[in-house]
Amino acid sequence: MPEAGLRPEPRCRSCGTPYAPRQEYCLECGSRIVTASSSMHWVWPSLVALGIAAAGGAAAIAASGCTAQAPSTVVATQALVSLPPERPRTARTAAKPSRSPIPARSGDLTTWPGGNRYTIVLDSLPAGSGFSAARAKAQQAIRAGLRNVGVLVSSSYSTLHPGYYVVFSGIYDTLEEAQSALPDVAPRFPSAFAHQIAR
């Protein structure tokens, strides 16, 4: 029993083992020793940090000089006007541009209709050999059953090498159409090929 006037020896709350002053953990059970002074050690630093934050916020508001503005109310002064219902729009189909008809002749040469189109080149003869040689080649193709056969002067078209008479067969809107007709021409003219004709 402790003597009168002496403070009782502090003990661990978990296991009851005595501990020395300023001891943070019990040497017997390892529990943290909680005293009245240690339980409040975090309060003062927290209060200081809170005061600094409040002072900083007040200084920022004072420096910005911003004043709160009361929200304004907008009042309509004119009567509402009702619009008539919108008419449904009718879909307009774009008219497809029509090309000039492609001439089909059986006994005469076909004239190129113009525009950017495609054909099958049967043969190319040097211009020095004369137009008559190119015409004879075209007549040979007509007799073989080919349609829309004609002769072009290559220097008149940017897609052809100048200095030749070009014997052609067929007039097509796309390269695919010309290539699809090529197998019918190849047995009579093995070197024939599909090509674009443009000014």
Side-chain angles (χ1 to χ4, degrees):
M1 183 173 179
E3 298 180 5
L6 296 178
R7 297 180 61 183
E9 188 177 24
R11 295 178 177 274
C12 174
R13 293 184 181 180
S14 297
C15 64
T17 303
Y19 60 85
R22 301 193 181 195
Q23 184 176 334
E24 294 186 10
Y25 294 92
C26 178
L27 299 178
E28 184 68 25
C29 66
S31 299
R32 183 175 177 84
I33 297 173
V34 180
T35 62
S37 60
S38 64
S39 62
M40 297 295 292
H41 73 280
W42 58 271
V43 174
W44 294 111
S46 300
L47 290 175
V48 172
L50 180 62
I52 294 173
I61 293 173
S64 64
C66 295
T67 58
Q69 296 181 355
S72 58
T73 304
V74 179
V75 179
T77 58
Q78 294 182 354
L80 295 177
V81 179
S82 59
L83 298 176
E86 185 178 356
R87 295 182 180 178
R89 297 180 181 178
T90 56
R92 296 183 180 178
T93 55
K96 188 176 180 180
S98 59
R99 291 182 176 269
S100 57
I102 300 174
R105 303 172 184 170
S106 58
D108 197 5
L109 299 183
T110 298
T111 304
W112 188 257
N116 296 340
R117 301 197 187 192
Y118 297 85
T119 190
I120 298 174
V121 176
L122 302 177
D123 202 352
S124 297
L125 292 85
S129 61
F131 179 77
S132 59
R135 183 179 179 86
K137 195 74 168 180
Q139 293 292 345
Q140 176 187 349
I142 292 173
R143 288 192 298 271
L146 300 183
R147 297 173 58 84
N148 296 326
V149 178
V151 177
L152 298 173
V153 179
S154 63
S155 57
S156 301
Y157 300 91
S158 62
T159 55
L160 297 175
H161 191 70
Y164 290 88
Y165 288 112
V166 177
V167 182
F168 69 89
S169 173
I171 302 170
Y172 306 95
D173 291 333
T174 64
L175 179 62
E176 290 75 15
E177 292 177 0
Q179 289 175 337
S180 64
L182 194 57
D184 297 333
V185 178
R188 302 176 182 87
F189 295 90
S191 60
F193 60 93
H195 194 71
Q196 183 184 23
I197 306 297
R199 292 286 184 181

